[in-house]
Structure formats: C-alpha cells, structure tokens
Amino acid sequence: EIWNKMGKVYLQENKFDMAMEHFQHALQLQQQQQQSSSAQNPKTLEKDICATLVNIGAVYYKERNSLNHSKHTYHDFTQSGMLLQIANAHEVRGEYIMSMKFYEEMLQLLDNNSRNKRKGKNKKKSEEELVYVLNCLGSLSRKTGRYVEALDFHNRALKTLLSLPSSKDDDVTSIAIAETRVYIGTVKCQMGYFQEALQLYEKALPIQTSLSRKKNVTTPNVANTLLQMGIVYLQLCQYDQALKFFHDAQQQQQQSIPQQKTPQNNPHLDTLESALQIGRVHLERGSYPRALKEFTNVLDSQTQILDRHHPTIATTLHFIGQTHVKNNEFGLAMKNYEECFEIRRKVLGYENPDVASALHSIGEAHLQNKRYERALRILQDSLRIRSEALDDEHSLDVAQTIISIGVAHENLGKTKEAMEYFQEALALVENKVGCHHPMMAHVDYSIGNLLLRQCSFEEAQEKFEKCQHIYRLVGLEENHPDVVNIHNSMERVKREEELCV
C-alpha cells in the first residue's frame, strides 16, 4: 500500500518514471503474495492488484498525453502485454470506457505489427491476440450500448479467424470461432434479433461441447453459450426451456470453479449470473417471493466481490426494483431504481440503453403512482435514448416504452394520442416476435382498456380474449397477476355493458 501511495504522489508531480517504478514494485509484491498459499483474502488481493494496474495505466496514459511528453519509449511495456492487463483491470472494476481506451491502444499496436508483415508462428500468435482484443472491444461496446460498433469488432474477429490456415487439429482456432459466434449472437439478442442469435448459438454449442469432451475439460464457453440460449428463450417467453438452459449453465459453471482462478473469469460471478437469470424466470412467471429471494442472494454475493458502483450490481438492483413494483412496494422499488440509475449514469454515461432502461422503470413506477406528467417526461427521455441507440427497426425495449407513454397519455385524457402510440407499439412487436408473444398481450391489454374507457365493449372484449389466449399459449398459471388482470378486465366489460343497457 505504501508503494502505491508514494507512486500517486510522484504521479501528481508528473514524475512519471518514479511513479511507474513504485507502482510496478507494488504490483510485484502483490503478485508474489497472490502466489503464496498464505494469502489471507484472495478476493481483496485481486481488487488490490486491479487497483495497482489501474495506477500503472494512469502513469502511461498521463505521460503519453502530457504536453512535455518526451521521446521515452514504452516499447518493452507494451510488448509485455501490460496494456491488456490494465484494460482487463478496468473492465473488472466496471470502468468500461477506460478499459476500451487501453484495448484500442493495443489494437493500434497490433495493427502496426501486422503492417510489418510478420510471418509463420509469430504471425499466427499475433492474429490470435488481435482476435482476443477485437472480441474484448466488441463485448465492451455492447455493454456501453454501442451495438453497431460491437458487431463490427466481432465480425472483424470472425473474419480474421476464418482467414487463418485451416487444420483439423487446430482446436484453439475452432474454439475461438465458436466463441466469436456466441459474442455476435449476444449483440444480436440485445438488438432484438432473437432467432438470429439462437442460430449462432446452436452453431457454436456442438463445437464447444465436442472439444470440451475431447480435452476432458468443462470450458466456461459452454456454460456461457447455454446461458445466452436461456436468455433468448426467456425473451421469447418459453420459460421452461429458459430455466433448463440456466440450470445447465449453472451446473457447468460449478464444475469449472476449481479450474478458474483469474479475476477476469471469476466463476463465482458467472454462477451468480445464472442465478440472476433464474430469478428473472420466477419474476416473469409471477413468483415474486422466489424472485426476490434469488435476486437478494445474488446481490449479497456480488457485494462481497465487486464495488457497490459496479454496473453488474446495478443490473441486480434493477430486477429487485421490478420485483418490488410487482409487490406494490413503490418506495423500495424507487430506492433500488434510483441507485441503479446513478451507477449506470456515472459509469456508462447518460446516453446509454441501460440508463434508458433505468429511466423507463422509474417512469413506470411514477405511472403506477398516478404521477402521469412526471412519468411522461421520464418515459419520453427513455424513448429518445433507446431509439437513438438501437437501429431503425427498434426493439421490444422501444415498444415497451412506447406502450407506457401511451398509457400516460390515456390517463391524461389524450385518448387519440394514446391510441396512436399503442398502434405504433403493436406494429413493432408484431414485426419482432409475432402475434403470440406476451408483449403483444401487453399492447392488446392497453388497447382494450382504452376501448373500454370509450365504451367500445365488444372491441375491448375481443382484445382481452386475445390476451387470455396468448397467456394460455405461453403457459402462464391462472393465478399469474397478468392472467388475473385480464380476467378482472373481462368481468369489468360485462358489468359496464350492463350498466349502459
């Protein structure tokens, strides 16, 4: 710790050589301690190592951008792979923007090396390193909501891999190709292209499974692919299928725990991600106590590993907030939503889809509390960010916000505007997932309520019956809150129609 403190003093004084020397000595001591069997708290030590790597990166970044930058070369520093270690340290800490800067620096270095036309084994090693950096940049671009850039990075990685000389025994390249396809699928899923994502996963999984058996090793890649497939099925509301994949992923992750020791592939965090997704299934099925218990357990474990301001923790807080809303606990929901929003805004920047998601949830909470004007302002801001971040075909997230804006207009007495928003959402949802997705029921339910308000009883009844049919198709239980709401709405149609007669 003393070496890090002294290094920070030298860095503030722009004494870069002295700062670098002290930080590197601190890192050497920490790594020696990590390798020692007497290390007291490995999780704390991993955090300390990441902090020291970030300090080393600060020296490099500040000197490279200082006005009095000398001809001092960082050739040995960059060639040793230190840039990758610093980039990874920032990523582990949830500092995605800074992480991308160091990966981009590494990408420029690799591109320069490529222009020097390395040959033979050195060239292949350089290409493999290039693929790794491109996929890291793609993953970080996805996490920061830059989906088109993410696809560009991953597609370049895939193109590079496919251009390498093929060999039946080249398992490393085969694994990398499968893994890159999964990365592309993950971006496609977040953009709302669920079937395309599923096809990519289904193409990658047999290769990963075959190679893991061949080497008698359970690779984390298999678990991640299973997890991502579960997420697609969750989005498609095929809950039994989703749950099966999440449990399979969790089992694979638990088997890999003894083999994984590096902080960037923390198996405990991977297992927690599966648990989080299992909680989401319970949430969607209306099992709110089970969902809340799952999310709370995940959050307790995450806070032992990550700093409280990490984006991963923000995601868990968001789902906890959603569960509280379903339980009509708006104060608790808003507390979690606001903490989630502040973390995402600080780490990811305001113009980010995840920030828009937090805004949407806050707007929804205000909507349910009958604060319609305030809800409308927040929801419109969410829609603006989501529409700008996603392509012209939009996504279910955009449709969801459009529906909520329609509901706000309806409650403000602007029925014409409300119907226009509902019809726009209807077209988006039908285009993305067809007529039998619960999101379609969500739109039809909103339209049905508006028609009921206008005393168009027959049309309202027709919309509610469509909702009921969809919920039965996806297997929701009769006591599911959404099913109960539909039943109550249909009873309301009968009562109000009788009163009119």
Side-chain angles (χ1 to χ4, degrees):
E1 187 178 348
I2 189 68
W3 287 95
N4 267 315
K5 286 182 178 179
M6 291 173 67
K8 287 179 181 178
V9 172
Y10 285 123
L11 180 58
Q12 287 177 347
E13 296 173 350
N14 289 340
K15 295 179 179 178
F16 302 119
D17 288 343
M18 291 296 293
M20 183 66 81
E21 181 181 328
H22 281 73
F23 289 142
Q24 287 184 328
H25 188 70
L27 180 64
Q28 185 180 4
L29 291 173
Q30 288 168 336
Q31 289 174 336
Q32 288 173 356
Q33 187 180 354
Q34 187 182 44
Q35 293 169 3
S36 169
S37 58
S38 61
Q40 295 292 320
N41 192 333
K43 296 298 179 188
T44 301
L45 191 54
E46 285 172 5
K47 284 185 179 181
D48 291 342
I49 289 173
C50 284
T52 303
L53 285 166
V54 166
N55 289 336
I56 291 171
V59 177
Y60 173 81
Y61 200 74
K62 189 173 181 181
E63 181 175 7
R64 293 268 290 179
N65 291 282
S66 65
L67 292 174
N68 60 344
H69 173 48
S70 66
K71 296 294 183 181
H72 178 270
T73 178
Y74 275 94
H75 180 268
D76 291 340
F77 179 87
T78 55
Q79 293 296 330
S80 69
M82 186 60 74
L83 288 177
L84 292 181
Q85 292 184 55
I86 296 167
N88 178 70
H90 279 293
E91 184 175 358
V92 168
R93 286 158 58 103
E95 298 160 354
Y96 298 146
I97 304 300
M98 282 304 299
S99 178
M100 289 179 73
K101 288 181 179 179
F102 283 97
Y103 279 126
E104 285 166 352
E105 187 99 16
M106 190 66 193
L107 179 61
Q108 185 178 0
L109 179 70
L110 290 169
D111 283 340
N112 289 339
N113 289 343
S114 179
R115 280 191 285 272
N116 291 333
K117 297 181 179 179
R118 290 188 174 188
K119 297 181 179 180
K121 291 183 179 179
N122 284 338
K123 181 181 178 181
K124 185 175 180 183
K125 183 179 178 182
S126 180
E127 295 288 345
E128 288 172 352
E129 197 169 26
L130 174 64
V131 167
Y132 173 78
V133 172
L134 287 168
N135 278 330
C136 287
L137 281 166
S139 294
L140 287 165
S141 297
R142 173 181 56 79
K143 290 176 181 178
T144 53
R146 305 169 185 178
Y147 301 131
V148 175
E149 289 180 32
L151 285 177
D152 286 343
F153 283 124
H154 290 316
N155 282 323
R156 184 183 166 191
L158 184 61
K159 184 179 179 181
T160 302
L161 286 166
L162 294 174
S163 70
L164 293 175
S166 59
S167 169
K168 291 182 179 180
D169 298 323
D170 192 355
D171 294 341
V172 173
T173 301
S174 297
I175 290 173
I177 289 171
E179 185 176 332
T180 303
R181 286 192 171 119
V182 173
Y183 287 137
I184 295 170
T186 305
V187 182
K188 292 282 187 179
C189 181
Q190 286 206 246
M191 295 177 75
Y193 301 110
F194 303 125
Q195 294 301 332
E196 288 184 40
L198 200 55
Q199 288 171 8
L200 286 161
Y201 300 150
E202 288 171 345
K203 193 171 185 177
L205 185 61
I207 298 169
Q208 293 172 318
T209 305
S210 173
L211 290 172
S212 68
R213 287 171 181 165
K214 179 179 177 181
K215 294 182 177 296
N216 197 27
V217 172
T218 303
T219 68
N221 294 340
V222 174
N224 181 56
T225 306
L226 291 168
L227 180 75
Q228 298 305 327
M229 291 176 79
I231 290 172
V232 172
Y233 283 115
L234 177 58
Q235 292 286 354
L236 295 173
C237 299
Q238 297 180 29
Y239 302 127
D240 289 337
Q241 193 79 333
L243 204 55
K244 177 185 179 299
F245 277 104
F246 293 147
H247 283 305
D248 288 347
Q250 202 170 46
Q251 185 178 5
Q252 294 274 357
Q253 289 157 350
Q254 288 167 347
Q255 290 174 8
S256 72
I257 285 175
Q259 302 163 18
Q260 301 297 319
K261 295 181 180 179
T262 55
Q264 64 267 33
N265 290 318
N266 194 310
H268 192 36
L269 283 175
D270 291 340
T271 307
L272 290 176
E273 176 63 22
S274 295
L276 185 77
Q277 298 302 330
I278 290 168
R280 286 185 66 194
V281 176
H282 294 315
L283 178 61
E284 292 300 322
R285 279 181 156 169
S287 302
Y288 304 138
R290 291 181 69 183
L292 187 59
K293 183 180 179 181
E294 199 78 59
F295 295 146
T296 305
N297 288 341
V298 168
L299 182 64
D300 288 343
S301 297
Q302 285 174 337
T303 51
Q304 294 174 23
I305 303 168
L306 305 169
D307 291 329
R308 185 73 183 188
H309 62 267
H310 197 284
T312 300
I313 285 180
T315 300
T316 307
L317 290 169
H318 188 249
F319 289 126
I320 290 174
Q322 286 186 333
T323 312
H324 283 306
V325 166
K326 296 293 186 181
N327 286 326
N328 295 318
E329 299 165 341
F330 296 111
L332 290 171
M334 196 62 77
K335 179 183 176 183
N336 283 279
Y337 283 153
E338 287 175 351
E339 186 177 356
C340 167
F341 169 77
E342 287 301 327
I343 293 170
R344 288 175 172 176
R345 182 187 61 80
K346 182 179 178 181
V347 176
L348 305 173
Y350 193 81
E351 304 294 318
N352 181 276
D354 285 341
V355 172
S357 179
L359 285 171
H360 172 89
S361 295
I362 292 170
E364 278 276 321
H366 285 304
L367 200 59
Q368 294 192 40
N369 266 330
K370 300 183 179 180
R371 300 168 182 164
Y372 303 125
E373 292 282 3
R374 190 171 184 182
L376 186 58
R377 288 196 300 273
I378 295 171
L379 289 166
Q380 285 173 333
D381 205 19
S382 173
L383 179 63
R384 177 188 62 78
I385 297 170
R386 281 178 160 174
S387 297
E388 289 175 1
L390 299 161
D391 63 15
D392 291 337
E393 293 185 43
H394 300 308
S395 73
L396 291 181
D397 290 338
V398 172
Q400 190 178 36
T401 305
I402 290 171
I403 296 166
S404 298
I405 289 173
V407 173
H409 278 294
E410 179 187 350
N411 284 285
L412 290 168
K414 301 176 182 178
T415 55
K416 182 181 177 182
E417 291 90 337
M419 186 60 81
E420 288 173 356
Y421 278 108
F422 293 150
Q423 294 295 344
E424 182 182 354
L426 194 71
L428 283 174
V429 174
E430 188 172 1
N431 179 53
K432 277 292 177 187
V433 289
C435 299
H436 299 130
H437 190 280
M439 181 67 79
M440 183 64 80
H442 187 28
V443 186
D444 282 329
Y445 176 71
S446 300
I447 294 174
N449 279 331
L450 181 55
L451 291 168
L452 182 56
R453 179 174 287 197
Q454 296 172 334
C455 297
S456 300
F457 301 116
E458 190 174 332
E459 294 175 58
Q461 182 72 9
E462 184 181 330
K463 288 293 183 183
F464 294 143
E465 286 175 355
K466 282 180 66 177
C467 296
Q468 192 176 57
H469 176 66
I470 291 170
Y471 289 146
R472 283 173 179 165
L473 282 177
V474 298
L476 293 188
E477 300 290 339
E478 287 299 315
N479 62 350
H480 189 283
D482 290 342
V483 177
V484 172
N485 283 340
I486 291 299
H487 178 75
N488 292 339
S489 296
M490 292 171 76
E491 290 295 318
R492 187 179 156 206
V493 170
K494 292 178 183 178
R495 289 196 306 270
E496 297 197 12
E497 190 172 17
E498 288 172 358
L499 287 172
C500 284
V501 173

